[in-house]
Amino acid sequence: MFSKFFNLDIEKQNRIINAAMKEFAQKGYDRASTNEIVKEAGISKGLLFHYFQNKKQLFLFLYDYFMELLTNEIFKKIDLSESDFFLRIQQVSIVKMDLLKDYPELFKFVEIAYMESSSDVKEELDKRKKDFTNLNVNRIYEGIDVTKFKDGLDITKALKIITWTIEKLGEEALYKAKLSPHHEIDYDGVFKEYKEYIKMLKTCFYK
Amino acid sequence: MFSKFFNLDIEKQNRIINAAMKEFAQKGYDRASTNEIVKEAGISKGLLFHYFQNKKQLFLFLYDYFMELLTNEIFKKIDLSESDFFLRIQQVSIVKMDLLKDYPELFKFVEIAYMESSSDVKEELDKRKKDFTNLNVNRIYEGIDVTKFKDGLDITKALKIITWTIEKLGEEALYKAKLSPHHEIDYDGVFKEYKEYIKMLKTCFYK
DNA sequence: TTACAATTGACCACACCGGTCAAAAGGAAT
DNA sequence: ATTCCTTTTGACCGGTGTGGTCAATTGTAA
């Protein structure tokens, strides 16, 4: 299907993939412009449509490509036998941060793909979602050692509060980075704050 | 400036305001279409531009209109002498929910205005933000009775965890509503869950 | 009947869109 | 130098939708 594309030198492949991903992430499917993609990738319009039949195929290719990359990266680096929830979720956070370093727009792309989905691609996208979402998301909560939590505690709620806090911390870090001069995330600062919150939540919820 | 507009019967004013706000909330400034606005409002294209010089003025008018409405509503219904943080934030949540009932798209509009801001309106918008944001946002944290919190606790962090949890609860409720058949928020269910979370957080952070 | 304000919607020039295709450029083998 | 094939180009196409205009119509009150 995309064998022609994969015969390109990798550097060019990546230029195209990242340019397209960035454009879709910023503007969503409908508003994303193939003209902008080829300009950013430094190739001609014709070439893009030589490798990808049309805009829709390009988008779905990117979706598959990054979803596989994402799951591979996450489950390669996560130790699912770790039963302490805080350590488990810390692993996830670190993998996410690493990915965010290499592909700054990746999560926005995934979010776009998950939420909006213009009618053009919605149907194809929904097929793919069913195979993926809950399967992998819930695996992160599997095998957690609940005996560490205080007795009588609603553990589901506790896990949610912890997850939400960490998510919001990440969002805050991204927002701060956006306002900073070079749009860089202060990883050390974030991690330090992160550990402080974890400590607080542990005294809250652990025995 | 907009005296012509305010001489219209209120029902028509509201139709125009809500149609425009909805369109901007859904698509952001650039993609929002004046054609869609007039169609939704049930007026002619010419009339819109009779009352509002151009798209930019219309957007800024809406921003001012709703920001004033929002602050008025919130501070009218909030008892700032209430020094218990949970009760204080509960008041805010209730006001927000009420507003969401009357203006379902309002918060998305505010978010759009706060985040994206096409270059066309960014400059004017930034001026307005400075006057507003921190002034009103931080007032919600003013005069809180910190003696109720456990000794040695990092209160700033605790307040954040509480705020974030409640925000995420709200987001979750909205997302659920989106998936439900009539897009209705299950207020009773949300409020029940809300109280359970509050109870948990109180045992965490209060003496 | 008149005068004025409110309202219409066909119309404009323009920007940009996804996609095509004849032609040019590059490279390897002869 | 010539051939042949692949890779790459970018001008070009028909189409869509835009923000904004304005001559003409309608409503209204004197």
Side-chain angles (χ1 to χ4, degrees):
Chain A
M1 189 76 172
F2 300 106
S3 51
K4 263 188 293 177
F5 176 72
F6 284 121
N7 284 338
L8 283 173
D9 39 327
I10 295 221
E11 189 268 338
K12 202 177 211 170
Q13 281 181 39
N14 284 336
R15 252 168 41 221
I16 296 172
I17 284 173
N18 288 324
M21 191 257 278
K22 192 174 156 188
E23 178 73 5
F24 282 120
Q26 282 174 354
K27 308 194 186 166
Y29 180 81
D30 281 328
R31 254 210 307 174
S33 157
T34 51
N35 292 318
E36 285 300 314
I37 291 172
V38 299
K39 202 198 289 171
E40 171 85 16
I43 59 168
S44 69
K45 188 84 167 284
L47 198 61
L48 184 70
F49 286 96
H50 177 67
Y51 289 118
F52 300 96
Q53 180 184 346
N54 54 38
K55 191 182 178 182
K56 182 176 169 179
Q57 292 307 315
L58 169 63
F59 181 82
L60 292 173
F61 167 82
L62 287 175
Y63 181 83
D64 291 336
Y65 177 85
F66 282 110
M67 279 318 225
E68 201 185 318
L69 186 149
L70 222 144
T71 37
N72 282 349
E73 285 296 310
I74 288 182
F75 287 105
K76 196 167 67 192
K77 292 187 184 169
I78 281 185
D79 177 12
L80 279 174
S81 67
E82 175 57 65
S83 67
D84 183 276
F85 184 66
F86 288 98
L87 291 177
R88 177 81 69 87
I89 209 170
Q90 179 176 325
Q91 290 177 346
V92 177
S93 302
I94 289 172
V95 176
K96 274 189 180 175
M97 281 227 195
D98 287 346
L99 285 170
L100 216 54
K101 237 183 216 164
D102 295 342
Y103 307 91
E105 312 270 1
L106 178 53
F107 292 95
K108 219 181 274 177
F109 176 81
V110 173
E111 193 188 313
I112 287 282
Y114 201 80
M115 297 294 288
E116 71 123 82
S117 50
S118 141
S119 55
D120 283 8
V121 288
K122 189 157 176 43
E123 199 186 337
E124 295 279 346
L125 228 41
D126 281 344
K127 283 186 204 163
R128 287 160 165 80
K129 279 183 212 165
K130 277 180 196 158
D131 301 339
F132 182 86
T133 319
N134 285 332
L135 188 77
N136 293 303
V137 170
N138 288 334
R139 200 187 290 181
I140 287 166
Y141 293 94
E142 263 172 33
I144 292 300
D145 181 6
V146 295
T147 65
K148 288 181 177 176
F149 289 84
K150 281 176 183 162
D151 295 322
L153 192 72
D154 184 335
I155 291 174
T156 313
K157 287 194 172 55
L159 296 185
K160 277 197 171 179
I161 290 177
I162 297 164
T163 312
W164 287 341
T165 299
I166 286 162
E167 279 177 11
K168 282 279 186 183
L169 263 171
E171 286 172 26
E172 211 182 55
L174 272 183
Y175 184 71
K176 274 184 196 160
K178 220 183 224 167
L179 296 180
S180 77
H182 297 288
H183 299 272
E184 272 174 5
I185 295 177
D186 169 22
Y187 287 97
D188 292 340
V190 172
F191 201 66
K192 195 185 150 220
E193 225 190 342
Y194 170 86
K195 282 198 287 189
E196 290 165 3
Y197 276 96
I198 293 295
K199 202 179 161 190
M200 274 187 70
L201 290 167
K202 263 190 187 167
T203 42
C204 278
F205 297 135
Y206 267 16
K207 279 172 184 166
Chain B
M1 188 78 171
F2 301 106
S3 50
K4 262 188 295 176
F5 176 72
F6 286 120
N7 283 339
L8 283 173
D9 40 325
I10 295 220
E11 189 268 339
K12 201 176 212 170
Q13 281 181 40
N14 284 336
R15 250 167 43 217
I16 296 172
I17 285 174
N18 288 323
M21 191 257 278
K22 191 173 156 190
E23 179 73 3
F24 282 121
Q26 281 173 354
K27 306 195 185 166
Y29 180 81
D30 281 327
R31 254 210 304 175
S33 158
T34 51
N35 292 320
E36 287 299 314
I37 292 171
V38 299
K39 202 198 290 174
E40 172 84 18
I43 59 167
S44 70
K45 189 83 167 285
L47 197 60
L48 183 69
F49 286 95
H50 177 68
Y51 289 118
F52 301 96
Q53 180 183 346
N54 54 36
K55 192 182 176 181
K56 182 176 171 178
Q57 292 306 316
L58 168 62
F59 181 82
L60 292 173
F61 167 82
L62 286 175
Y63 181 83
D64 292 337
Y65 177 85
F66 281 111
M67 280 318 227
E68 200 185 319
L69 186 147
L70 221 145
T71 37
N72 283 349
E73 285 296 310
I74 287 182
F75 287 105
K76 195 167 66 192
K77 291 188 184 169
I78 280 185
D79 177 12
L80 278 173
S81 68
E82 174 57 64
S83 67
D84 183 276
F85 184 65
F86 288 99
L87 291 177
R88 176 84 67 89
I89 209 171
Q90 178 175 325
Q91 290 177 344
V92 177
S93 302
I94 289 172
V95 176
K96 274 189 181 176
M97 283 228 194
D98 286 346
L99 285 171
L100 216 55
K101 237 181 216 166
D102 294 343
Y103 307 90
E105 312 271 0
L106 178 54
F107 291 95
K108 218 180 275 177
F109 176 81
V110 173
E111 192 189 315
I112 286 282
Y114 202 78
M115 296 295 288
E116 72 124 83
S117 50
S118 144
S119 55
D120 283 8
V121 288
K122 187 157 175 45
E123 199 185 337
E124 294 279 346
L125 227 41
D126 282 344
K127 281 186 206 163
R128 285 161 166 79
K129 279 183 211 166
K130 276 179 198 158
D131 301 339
F132 182 86
T133 318
N134 286 332
L135 188 78
N136 294 303
V137 170
N138 289 334
R139 198 185 293 181
I140 287 166
Y141 294 94
E142 262 171 34
I144 293 299
D145 181 5
V146 297
T147 64
K148 288 181 177 176
F149 288 84
K150 283 177 180 160
D151 295 323
L153 191 73
D154 185 336
I155 290 173
T156 314
K157 286 193 174 54
L159 295 185
K160 276 196 173 179
I161 290 176
I162 298 164
T163 313
W164 287 342
T165 299
I166 287 163
E167 278 176 12
K168 283 280 186 181
L169 262 171
E171 287 171 26
E172 212 182 55
L174 271 186
Y175 184 71
K176 274 184 196 160
K178 221 183 225 167
L179 296 179
S180 76
H182 297 287
H183 300 271
E184 272 174 5
I185 295 177
D186 168 23
Y187 287 97
D188 292 340
V190 172
F191 200 65
K192 196 185 150 220
E193 225 191 342
Y194 170 85
K195 282 198 286 189
E196 289 166 5
Y197 276 95
I198 293 297
K199 202 179 161 192
M200 273 187 71
L201 290 166
K202 263 190 186 169
T203 43
C204 279
F205 297 135
Y206 268 14
K207 278 172 184 164

